[in-house]
Amino acid sequence: MSTSQASAASFLGSTCVLYGSQSGFTATAAKQVYSVLERSVRGSVSIHAMDHVDFAQLAAVDTLVVLTSTWESDAGLMPQNAVRFWAWLRAQPLAGLGSLLARARFAVCGFGSQKYRYYCGFAVQLHEAFLRLGAAPLVDLARIDVDTPDRGRKAHTRWARGLLAALQ
């Protein structure tokens, strides 16, 4: 590992939890996942809002865990703190970023409401982009309906348990 990769690993960790959150609900869910992963997986784990990640450091990440909401779900918009990450992701040449993420594993969990046309639309876009760029999914894309009586907590817990099992 090069010096720059070693310093990147210390910042982002071998497992990096990223979140896109407009209202704070998804940020809270991401912090819960981070807390469990920090106690349960080997290597360092970090957590960052999508607008606070240094893109150049992603090459040092082995596992990328992304939790995001879809804001104004009728329009399928991403949270404001995810705009910069999405713009960067879309601007990468396929071959260059593909090799950057070729050894990465990923998991995406989306939060939204089934009553909207673009239910978890941004999470779906991220999942598909990571696949196109060569990253390998650890678990299936999770789409959590926050309009259920428990606000999606049971579904989120199932996804998190599956993620943890895949990382063991």
Side-chain angles (χ1 to χ4, degrees), residues 126-143:
L126 283 171
H127 184 86
E128 290 173 355
F130 291 139
L131 286 172
R132 278 192 312 272
L133 296 168
L138 279 162
V139 293
D140 290 338
L141 166 67
R143 293 170 45 171

Side-chain angles (χ1 to χ4, degrees), residues 89 92-95 97-102 128-135:
L89 192 64
Q92 299 308 306
L94 185 59
L97 187 60
S99 60
L100 176 82
L101 293 179
E128 290 173 355
F130 291 139
L131 286 172
R132 278 192 312 272
L133 296 168

Side-chain angles (χ1 to χ4, degrees), residues 96-110:
L97 187 60
S99 60
L100 176 82
L101 293 179
R103 70 181 191 98
R105 302 176 302 168
F106 76 96
V108 176
C109 181

Side-chain angles (χ1 to χ4, degrees), residues 68-137:
T68 188
S69 60
T70 297
W71 194 246
E72 294 184 25
S73 294
D74 213 23
L77 302 178
M78 68 199 73
Q80 284 298 308
N81 71 343
V83 171
R84 186 173 149 255
F85 181 82
W86 181 245
W88 173 81
L89 192 64
R90 291 191 49 170
Q92 299 308 306
L94 185 59
L97 187 60
S99 60
L100 176 82
L101 293 179
R103 70 181 191 98
R105 302 176 302 168
F106 76 96
V108 176
C109 181
F111 293 87
S113 173
Q114 288 190 40
K115 69 182 177 184
Y116 292 111
R117 179 178 177 189
Y118 297 105
Y119 171 53
C120 295
F122 182 53
V124 171
Q125 290 177 312
L126 283 171
H127 184 86
E128 290 173 355
F130 291 139
L131 286 172
R132 278 192 312 272
L133 296 168

Side-chain angles (χ1 to χ4, degrees), residues 11-20 26-38 41 44-53 58 61-68 81 85 105-109 111 130 138 156 159 163 167:
F11 174 66
L12 291 183
S14 57
T15 300
C16 178
V17 178
L18 294 179
Y19 63 88
T26 304
T28 299
K31 290 172 187 171
Q32 292 167 344
V33 168
Y34 163 76
S35 179
V36 170
L37 293 178
E38 188 178 42
V41 300
S44 56
V45 181
S46 67
I47 183 168
H48 306 276
M50 285 186 185
D51 60 351
H52 288 113
V53 66
L58 286 174
V61 173
D62 295 320
T63 304
L64 188 59
V65 178
V66 180
L67 294 89
T68 188
N81 71 343
F85 181 82
R105 302 176 302 168
F106 76 96
V108 176
C109 181
F111 293 87
F130 291 139
L138 279 162
H156 178 249
W159 175 81
L163 173 65
L167 288 169

